[in-house]
Amino acid sequence: MVGSVGNGLADLGAGAVSMNGVGKALHPAEAAAAAETLPMELEPPEALVAAAVEAEAEAKREEAANGRREIVMGRNVHTSCFAVKEPDADDEETGEREATMASVLALYRRSLVERTKHHLGYPYNLDFDYGALSQLQHFSINNLGDPFIESNYGVHSRQFEVGVLDWFARLWELEKDEYWGYITNCGTEGNLHGILVGREVFPDGILYASRESHYSVFKAARMYRMDCVKVDTLMSGEIDCADFQRKLLQNRDKPAIINVNIGTTVKGAVDDLDLVIKTLEENGFKDRFYIHCDGALFGLMIPFVKKAPQVTFKKPIGSVSVSGHKFVGCPMPCGVQITRLEHINALSSNVEYLASRDATIMGSRNGHAPIFLWYTLNRKGYRGFQKEVQKCLRNAHYLKDRLKEAGVGAMLNELSSTVVFERPKDEEFVRRWQLACEGNIAHVVVMPSVNIDKLDYFLNELVEKRATWYQDGISQPPCIARDVGVENCLCGLHK
Amino acid sequence: MVGSVGNGLADLGAGAVSMNGVGKALHPAEAAAAAETLPMELEPPEALVAAAVEAEAEAKREEAANGRREIVMGRNVHTSCFAVKEPDADDEETGEREATMASVLALYRRSLVERTKHHLGYPYNLDFDYGALSQLQHFSINNLGDPFIESNYGVHSRQFEVGVLDWFARLWELEKDEYWGYITNCGTEGNLHGILVGREVFPDGILYASRESHYSVFKAARMYRMDCVKVDTLMSGEIDCADFQRKLLQNRDKPAIINVNIGTTVKGAVDDLDLVIKTLEENGFKDRFYIHCDGALFGLMIPFVKKAPQVTFKKPIGSVSVSGHKFVGCPMPCGVQITRLEHINALSSNVEYLASRDATIMGSRNGHAPIFLWYTLNRKGYRGFQKEVQKCLRNAHYLKDRLKEAGVGAMLNELSSTVVFERPKDEEFVRRWQLACEGNIAHVVVMPSVNIDKLDYFLNELVEKRATWYQDGISQPPCIARDVGVENCLCGLHK
């Protein structure tokens, strides 16, 4: 019966090729026939994990080879998959299917442990313990539609959701009866929502966003058929308000919808919200603009950074979004979206045309996410987050300093825990540490789950490997002056 | 320290008013002061659940009173919420916060059990056991972007996702190397994606959808700035192809993008896909149309219904979406979207302009959902689903027959397990059984988790209550002839 769970143990054991599942039979009869020709002995778990890692590496090499790593669409490459197969007729008696599935899951779990341990490049806080919530996993919890409009479906968690929204509204200084919001599926949904609200407020508005904005902002422009103007950035990654002014003046007749980054994806740069507002008001856009703040990661950190310019609804902003799986930490992606109730009211004036029961992007919504967030917010509170933010900033400085001491060019923005540095030469090393790269630079995002020990482990490995990469004296570390400025580059020319 | 978790036990005990959390202090100092004035004795759990149910009922009455139940937006009504409060300084020593949170969760769990037991109106299969997957809950599993493009983030579940997608592509007869798809957050995301692909294929296309289509279809039209034409429906809820033809001929010059319902939300009506295609081709739209099939619930049931017209990519359709939390059953909403790879390729030809790394709507995606789906598909297989579909259809017939025997007007479409019947007079009863209502009709969706015992329990209660509602001889059951046809109505006039 081994082999009846597609790409289960036996298939995994056969290595990368059979993991592809290409041409794998799905019909039970075919599966049975295939089982006879497959190697029957099971390789030890280590080999299986190694095979999975190798399959992944192969996919990466292939991608690197076609040179379109950054933007690639329209593919259907089955590099590795656990195919679904029809149960055999006697599965219920033998229990073998259950056992095989359990083995696949146990192996998968093992690889997750390994991958979680070597994780530095993405802004996800992997340090959470939601054991107390596992009792809720077997309920189908769904907050359909609007958090403030009860549905007849009783298995929801709106009471947790609204508690979480209140907490964020208070954080960003919007009165309880003046906000509207909901818990989203991710940061992208927040951006999609904020920009849509902006467009509904100013239907002929032009969307402005810096070049280093998250790609979901440009995706929104295309989805919503909005004119979009890309604004240049400073070396730090912040929006260049001189260029912003130039572009505003080229479009004086149209209102402005602006995406302001509270921490860009690559450099963790915080756009100067006050300067953006000043630029708008001084160039004839007073009362003719809508600002959406994309606070994906840093929206929840900046309130706890001393002397940082604050994101607050006391300033003329329209909406703020933040991810829940980033700084808070959550098993699945989620986010929080807060906007002014008056904007949502404006939408609802045209409700018959909208023909929608609610003002969210999604209909059915994950009811578990609000409970995860509620749990962590209650446990940590403002004070807890403040401590964690301080720790992250401290550790980020440590990493940057140690990198520079070791001769590695690096940059850390003042308000950020994202350390940008020269891209490691070896792709294997990049994958191992799951570093996000762009051109010549890579970054580590120092999250609460990243402590000094983990950074030392990484630093030591980097320094050791780097010595071998450049030992021939011919290869040289890449110049990153164009990305992070001459003062932060330590290449042959600039050191 | 009781009261330090906002609206925790003490607050719940104080009943509906304090559950609102209105004016509740968030600062620890204020919370401490408030704790002194709040009633300290804890009411028994039954009272707490009753209070929660009452608060919900109050909200419903309020909504019913303002008469805008169906479409209401722009509200911020804090009917009930578990506020988040700052921890007290000594919480870590006393452990009281943890204990109070645990109590809130235990009570919440109890209410979920109760609500799950009385659930008939929504098409969610609540019958699942994912205990084997609880070992994965503490990983932050994220399938960022495209399922077929590996990300450097290693904690993903693409190998499960692609296995699930393959299964669905095979179900709908699209070759493994000819499809593209991903696991979505819900049925709405599938519709948003399918319609967006349609618009990209035919940028000046007009969107056609029957009046009884899910509201997300009309939401998409507004989001995407597409012209949208609503088509009439037959009594069954199916699209009226005579009206469709009339409307097509009014817009001969523009390509057509059509949303075809494989089971409407309210009546479970299946649009006649073959007739839709015929209407298009015979009226000059050959090669100038894109069909998206919204298979929310029934997309996964219809392949297993004998003699039902099939949804298949062998017909000229562009995409199919289905929900994962409906027929399959899943703790959180999710869905499956399958489209033709050629359409996604067409998008990618303009990739620089799109400036997106992928062709999904969302960026970060829940990596747990694919594992839940993979688990159930593997366990049940095609045969397992077939059995469950047959059971559901049988039980739906049982319900419809029993309702009619009891003198309650009811309708059941041939290919559906959604039983439409006269709206119960008492809103309390509607809420108790979580029935979705529209005008004079309500419906029960017979899912695998709904057995004969549950139906009998419901039927007996309905018959008993109904006798009291209409005992005075003055009130009469509503006429539902306009909704379901004279032949299915059993009101005073039509019985």
Side-chain angles (χ1 to χ4, degrees):
Chain A
M1 286 305 103
V2 174
S4 66
V5 170
N7 292 323
L9 276 185
D11 302 339
L12 264 169
V17 175
S18 84
M19 279 191 67
N20 289 342
V22 175
K24 270 278 173 287
L26 282 159
H27 276 297
E30 291 168 320
E36 282 166 30
T37 61
L38 279 172
M40 280 295 123
E41 74 271 47
L42 301 180
E43 297 192 24
E46 288 72 17
L48 306 187
V49 173
V53 170
E54 174 52 26
E56 203 170 295
E58 176 58 39
K60 295 285 161 47
R61 280 192 291 273
E62 188 193 303
E63 277 179 14
N66 80 17
R68 296 187 59 196
R69 184 87 185 82
E70 284 302 319
I71 299 178
V72 190
M73 286 171 62
R75 296 183 53 177
N76 172 330
V77 182
H78 284 63
T79 46
S80 68
C81 109
F82 297 134
V84 176
K85 291 212 184 141
E86 275 297 284
D88 289 307
D90 64 349
D91 273 331
E92 281 188 30
E93 290 107 66
T94 66
E96 285 200 41
R97 160 164 294 254
E98 293 282 325
T100 315
M101 284 170 69
S103 303
V104 170
L105 290 170
L107 285 172
Y108 176 62
R109 186 178 182 284
R110 180 190 272 240
S111 78
L112 289 184
V113 170
E114 191 277 330
R115 296 278 73 200
T116 297
K117 204 162 67 188
H118 294 96
H119 172 260
L120 283 177
Y122 289 77
Y124 309 144
N125 182 3
L126 306 183
D127 185 16
F128 52 75
D129 177 4
Y130 290 121
L133 302 182
S134 62
Q135 58 178 321
L136 305 177
Q137 188 182 280
H138 63 284
F139 294 100
S140 182
I141 312 181
N142 189 337
N143 293 346
L144 294 97
D146 194 304
F148 302 104
I149 302 176
E150 295 272 348
S151 150
N152 272 346
Y153 184 61
V155 188
H156 66 77
S157 65
R158 283 182 171 74
Q159 57 278 59
F160 293 92
E161 181 175 27
V162 174
V164 170
L165 294 174
D166 281 351
W167 191 90
F168 278 94
R170 185 163 186 269
L171 184 68
W172 294 323
E173 304 186 287
L174 191 52
E175 291 298 319
K176 215 175 204 173
D177 58 351
E178 288 179 6
Y179 85 84
W180 183 89
Y182 71 106
I183 294 187
T184 60
N185 286 295
C186 56
T188 289
E189 187 177 350
N191 288 342
L192 291 182
H193 194 273
I195 292 167
L196 183 61
V197 170
R199 192 199 72 177
E200 297 301 289
V201 173
F202 294 115
D204 63 338
I206 290 177
L207 178 63
Y208 297 84
S210 88
R211 293 190 183 285
E212 301 197 28
S213 302
H214 189 254
Y215 70 87
S216 58
V217 172
F218 305 107
K219 192 193 276 193
R222 174 148 167 141
M223 278 171 65
Y224 300 152
R225 292 185 156 163
M226 295 168 77
D227 287 331
C228 177
V229 174
K230 279 192 187 178
V231 181
D232 288 342
T233 47
L234 307 175
M235 189 60 79
S236 65
E238 288 168 65
I239 190 167
D240 176 353
C241 280
D243 188 56
F244 180 41
Q245 182 184 30
R246 271 191 299 278
K247 283 167 178 164
L248 279 174
L249 294 178
Q250 286 164 12
N251 299 285
R252 282 174 205 271
D253 55 327
K254 296 272 182 70
I257 297 161
I258 308 97
N259 176 72
V260 168
N261 297 304
I262 309 302
T264 59
T265 316
V266 176
K267 295 180 182 172
V270 177
D271 289 347
D272 187 335
L273 176 59
D274 296 327
L275 188 56
V276 166
I277 294 171
K278 189 161 168 272
T279 306
L280 284 160
E281 293 186 339
E282 289 183 354
N283 289 280
F285 284 80
K286 195 164 169 54
D287 300 328
R288 290 201 305 137
F289 66 85
Y290 179 97
I291 292 176
H292 170 68
C293 296
D294 175 7
L297 164 66
F298 216 60
L300 190 48
M301 296 177 72
I302 206 165
F304 307 109
V305 179
K306 282 176 203 148
K307 294 182 199 160
Q310 287 307 302
V311 174
T312 164
F313 280 91
K314 292 190 171 159
K315 299 176 183 174
I317 62 174
S319 46
V320 183
S321 59
V322 72
S323 296
H325 59 296
K326 290 181 178 160
F327 200 74
V328 181
C330 189
M332 71 280 290
C334 62
V336 173
Q337 175 70 0
I338 298 283
T339 184
R340 294 180 192 272
L341 183 59
E342 61 187 288
H343 295 322
I344 299 297
N345 275 329
L347 290 190
S348 70
S349 68
N350 204 355
V351 79
E352 275 302 324
Y353 172 54
L354 188 63
S356 165
R357 275 191 182 73
D358 69 79
T360 69
I361 301 266
M362 290 303 154
S364 288
R365 295 188 298 106
N366 182 348
H368 293 269
I371 309 177
F372 288 121
L373 297 181
W374 178 88
Y375 187 79
T376 298
L377 298 185
N378 254 317
R379 287 191 70 185
K380 296 190 176 166
Y382 293 112
R383 276 193 300 264
F385 283 112
Q386 186 154 35
K387 265 190 219 165
E388 292 198 333
V389 168
Q390 285 164 354
K391 190 184 112 185
C392 289
L393 295 181
R394 234 174 14 243
N395 289 351
H397 273 278
Y398 174 82
L399 172 61
K400 185 207 62 176
D401 292 345
R402 287 276 325 260
L403 282 167
K404 286 199 155 177
E405 280 163 32
V408 182
M411 177 180 85
L412 172 61
N413 275 314
E414 196 191 349
L415 301 174
S416 172
S417 70
T418 300
V419 179
V420 179
F421 60 101
E422 81 179 37
R423 181 181 191 144
K425 194 183 172 194
D426 180 18
E427 279 301 304
E428 184 59 39
F429 181 88
V430 166
R431 273 195 302 279
R432 176 170 154 81
W433 289 97
Q434 301 164 55
L435 305 175
C437 297
E438 196 174 89
N440 281 341
I441 55 173
H443 76 211
V444 160
V445 186
V446 179
M447 298 299 289
S449 50
V450 175
N451 56 24
I452 294 282
D453 283 351
K454 194 167 183 177
L455 290 175
D456 280 341
Y457 178 22
F458 167 76
L459 280 158
N460 292 338
E461 202 172 301
L462 176 66
V463 168
E464 196 181 301
K465 293 274 181 186
R466 205 164 168 273
T468 66
W469 299 334
Y470 304 119
Q471 68 182 348
D472 59 7
I474 301 164
S475 324
Q476 290 286 328
C479 173
I480 56 171
R482 221 179 47 162
D483 300 289
V484 297
V486 172
E487 68 280 17
N488 294 312
C489 181
L490 292 173
C491 76
L493 192 65
H494 296 113
K495 76 182 165 195
Chain B
M1 288 305 104
V2 175
S4 66
V5 170
N7 293 325
L9 276 187
D11 301 339
L12 264 170
V17 176
S18 85
M19 277 193 68
N20 290 340
V22 175
K24 270 276 171 290
L26 280 159
H27 274 297
E30 291 167 318
E36 284 165 29
T37 61
L38 279 172
M40 277 298 122
E41 74 271 49
L42 301 181
E43 297 190 24
E46 288 72 18
L48 306 187
V49 172
V53 169
E54 174 51 26
E56 205 170 293
E58 176 56 39
K60 294 286 157 48
R61 278 192 293 274
E62 188 194 306
E63 276 178 16
N66 78 19
R68 296 187 57 196
R69 183 87 186 83
E70 284 303 319
I71 298 177
V72 191
M73 286 171 61
R75 295 183 54 175
N76 173 333
V77 182
H78 283 63
T79 47
S80 68
C81 109
F82 297 136
V84 176
K85 289 210 184 144
E86 274 296 285
D88 289 308
D90 64 350
D91 273 331
E92 281 189 28
E93 291 107 63
T94 66
E96 285 198 42
R97 159 165 294 255
E98 293 282 324
T100 315
M101 285 170 69
S103 303
V104 170
L105 290 169
L107 284 172
Y108 176 63
R109 186 179 182 284
R110 179 191 275 242
S111 77
L112 289 184
V113 169
E114 192 277 330
R115 297 279 73 201
T116 297
K117 205 163 65 188
H118 294 96
H119 172 261
L120 283 178
Y122 289 77
Y124 309 144
N125 182 2
L126 306 184
D127 185 17
F128 52 73
D129 176 5
Y130 290 123
L133 303 181
S134 63
Q135 58 178 318
L136 304 177
Q137 188 182 279
H138 64 282
F139 293 100
S140 181
I141 312 180
N142 189 337
N143 292 346
L144 292 98
D146 195 303
F148 302 103
I149 303 176
E150 295 272 349
S151 149
N152 271 346
Y153 183 61
V155 188
H156 66 78
S157 65
R158 283 180 171 74
Q159 56 280 58
F160 292 92
E161 182 175 26
V162 174
V164 170
L165 294 174
D166 281 351
W167 191 90
F168 278 93
R170 185 164 187 269
L171 184 69
W172 295 322
E173 304 185 287
L174 192 51
E175 290 297 318
K176 214 176 202 169
D177 57 352
E178 289 178 5
Y179 85 85
W180 183 90
Y182 72 107
I183 295 190
T184 60
N185 286 295
C186 55
T188 290
E189 187 175 351
N191 288 342
L192 291 182
H193 194 273
I195 293 167
L196 183 61
V197 170
R199 193 198 72 176
E200 298 301 289
V201 172
F202 294 115
D204 63 339
I206 290 177
L207 177 63
Y208 298 84
S210 88
R211 294 190 183 284
E212 301 197 28
S213 301
H214 189 253
Y215 70 86
S216 58
V217 172
F218 305 107
K219 191 192 275 192
R222 174 147 167 143
M223 278 172 64
Y224 300 152
R225 292 187 155 165
M226 296 169 75
D227 287 330
C228 177
V229 174
K230 279 192 188 177
V231 181
D232 289 341
T233 46
L234 306 175
M235 188 61 78
S236 64
E238 287 169 65
I239 191 168
D240 175 354
C241 280
D243 188 56
F244 179 43
Q245 182 184 31
R246 271 192 298 278
K247 283 167 178 165
L248 279 174
L249 293 178
Q250 286 164 12
N251 299 284
R252 283 172 203 274
D253 56 326
K254 297 272 182 69
I257 297 160
I258 308 98
N259 176 73
V260 168
N261 298 305
I262 309 303
T264 58
T265 315
V266 175
K267 296 181 182 172
V270 178
D271 289 347
D272 187 336
L273 176 59
D274 296 327
L275 188 56
V276 166
I277 293 170
K278 190 163 167 269
T279 306
L280 285 159
E281 293 186 337
E282 289 182 354
N283 288 281
F285 285 81
K286 195 163 166 57
D287 301 329
R288 290 200 305 136
F289 66 85
Y290 179 96
I291 292 176
H292 169 69
C293 295
D294 175 7
L297 162 67
F298 216 62
L300 189 48
M301 296 177 72
I302 206 165
F304 306 110
V305 180
K306 280 176 204 148
K307 294 183 199 158
Q310 287 308 302
V311 174
T312 164
F313 280 92
K314 292 189 171 159
K315 299 176 183 175
I317 62 173
S319 45
V320 183
S321 60
V322 72
S323 296
H325 58 297
K326 289 181 180 161
F327 200 75
V328 181
C330 188
M332 70 279 290
C334 62
V336 173
Q337 175 70 359
I338 299 282
T339 183
R340 293 179 193 273
L341 183 59
E342 62 186 286
H343 295 321
I344 298 297
N345 275 330
L347 291 189
S348 69
S349 67
N350 204 354
V351 79
E352 274 302 323
Y353 171 55
L354 188 64
S356 165
R357 275 192 183 73
D358 68 79
T360 69
I361 301 267
M362 291 302 154
S364 288
R365 294 187 300 106
N366 182 348
H368 293 269
I371 309 176
F372 287 121
L373 297 181
W374 178 87
Y375 187 79
T376 298
L377 298 184
N378 253 316
R379 289 191 69 187
K380 297 191 177 166
Y382 293 111
R383 277 194 298 266
F385 284 112
Q386 187 153 35
K387 266 190 221 165
E388 292 199 334
V389 168
Q390 285 162 356
K391 191 185 111 185
C392 289
L393 295 181
R394 234 176 10 244
N395 289 350
H397 273 278
Y398 174 81
L399 173 62
K400 186 208 62 177
D401 293 344
R402 286 276 324 259
L403 281 167
K404 288 199 154 178
E405 280 164 32
V408 182
M411 177 180 86
L412 171 62
N413 275 313
E414 196 191 350
L415 301 173
S416 170
S417 71
T418 300
V419 179
V420 179
F421 59 101
E422 79 178 38
R423 182 180 189 145
K425 193 183 174 195
D426 180 20
E427 279 300 304
E428 183 58 40
F429 181 88
V430 166
R431 274 194 301 279
R432 176 169 154 82
W433 289 97
Q434 301 165 54
L435 306 175
C437 297
E438 197 174 88
N440 281 341
I441 56 173
H443 75 211
V444 160
V445 186
V446 179
M447 299 298 290
S449 50
V450 175
N451 57 23
I452 293 281
D453 284 350
K454 194 167 182 176
L455 291 176
D456 280 341
Y457 179 22
F458 167 76
L459 280 159
N460 292 339
E461 202 172 299
L462 176 65
V463 169
E464 196 181 303
K465 292 272 183 189
R466 206 165 167 272
T468 67
W469 300 334
Y470 303 119
Q471 66 180 352
D472 59 6
I474 301 164
S475 323
Q476 291 286 329
C479 173
I480 57 171
R482 222 179 48 161
D483 301 289
V484 298
V486 172
E487 68 280 16
N488 294 313
C489 181
L490 292 173
C491 76
L493 193 66
H494 297 113
K495 74 182 164 193

